[in-house]
Amino acid sequence: MSAKSKTVVLVHGGFVDGSGWRAVYDELTNDGYSVRVVQNATKSLADDAAATRQILDDIEGEAVLVGHSYGGAVISEAGTHDKVTALVYITAFAPDKGESVNSLIAGFPQDGPQPPILAPQQGYLFLDRAKFHESFAGDLSDQDAAFLADSQVPWGLEALGGPISEPAWRLKPSWYLHVTDDKMIPPSAQASMAERIGATVVDTPGSHAVYVSRPDVVATIIRTAAGES
């Protein structure tokens, strides 16, 4: 099957929604790819994996499954779907069986930048709006970062705490975009996860919002995964 006959399925992370993928979507669709964007509620990992599987059920042929940040946990859980030929992690969490985003965060180095996550509110998390630009979107304009900060999606504690049942990366080839200026997921943690899952790694400068700021780089690693899986 040719690369462009595969559907690319994009899965967003916490605090944001699928609209952030627009520039990557445009890059890929302009190049002839079919692309679907999963709109996760980010309330629980089980619900988000189910939403992703629903999209996979609906497409024809094979798929490349792409996850940013928390979306990496979602694709690790949902990527065992038989239509998925490749997984692409965009500065993303890559939990093993029984692990969760929470358990991975607990192992992050404590001597670097810490995500400005506020105390839970009724079972959901938000980032400090005043610190959002620096921590999440350092390479975006003030205006674009402010929009992301002011349109935050509540991130459910059940999503962070949801354990992986059978990690898809043990069954499917993986690619990992290692983002060197990320202040949400430390680059050292990214490198460790990428090595553990045996991913093909591409390095790039950029913030946690690299999928918004550098859509060409993100689209390129997706094209590579589609062509080599």
Side-chain angles (χ1 to χ4, degrees):
M1 177 175 283
S2 69
K4 291 183 182 179
S5 66
K6 297 176 183 178
T7 300
V8 176
V9 179
L10 303 171
V11 182
H12 65 81
F15 304 120
V16 294
D17 65 14
S19 63
W21 287 114
R22 180 57 193 269
V24 174
Y25 174 93
D26 288 345
E27 286 267 348
L28 292 170
T29 55
N30 289 340
D31 199 27
Y33 286 87
S34 175
V35 182
R36 298 288 296 274
V37 180
V38 181
Q39 287 285 16
N40 288 323
T42 62
K43 181 178 180 180
S44 75
L45 178 64
D47 287 349
D48 295 339
T52 303
R53 291 189 192 100
Q54 186 174 32
I55 295 294
L56 292 167
D57 286 342
D58 187 57
I59 67 172
E60 294 184 8
E62 297 176 341
V64 175
L65 192 54
V66 183
H68 168 255
S69 191
Y70 159 71
V74 178
I75 71 171
S76 295
E77 180 69 12
T80 55
H81 195 287
D82 58 8
K83 291 181 182 177
V84 175
T85 64
L87 305 167
V88 183
Y89 292 82
I90 307 298
T91 185
F93 294 96
D96 202 349
K97 184 173 183 178
E99 292 181 342
S100 65
V101 168
N102 268 343
S103 66
L104 291 177
I105 290 175
F108 283 0
Q110 299 299 306
D111 56 353
Q114 301 300 313
I117 300 175
L118 300 173
Q121 301 177 30
Q122 300 178 346
Y124 292 92
L125 297 174
F126 292 88
L127 286 182
D128 185 336
R129 288 171 54 249
K131 299 177 181 178
F132 191 101
H133 192 177
E134 179 183 2
S135 62
F136 194 103
D139 56 355
L140 297 185
S141 68
D142 291 345
Q143 185 178 26
D144 287 343
F147 178 80
L148 289 178
D150 290 337
S151 62
Q152 285 186 63
V153 177
W155 193 9
L157 294 178
E158 290 182 34
L160 282 85
I164 299 297
S165 59
E166 189 64 43
W169 51 262
R170 289 193 175 276
L171 306 171
K172 311 290 176 78
S174 301
W175 281 257
Y176 198 106
L177 186 63
H178 178 261
V179 181
T180 58
D181 306 309
D182 195 327
K183 296 183 179 178
M184 293 290 294
I185 301 180
S188 61
Q190 294 176 54
S192 177
M193 289 186 287
E195 181 180 10
R196 181 174 71 166
I197 70 175
T200 299
V201 179
V202 174
D203 292 292
T204 184
S207 73
H208 195 61
V210 67
Y211 65 109
V212 180
S213 63
R214 306 202 72 189
D216 54 333
V217 174
V218 174
T220 295
I221 192 174
I222 294 170
R223 291 187 190 101
T224 301
E228 296 182 4
S229 64

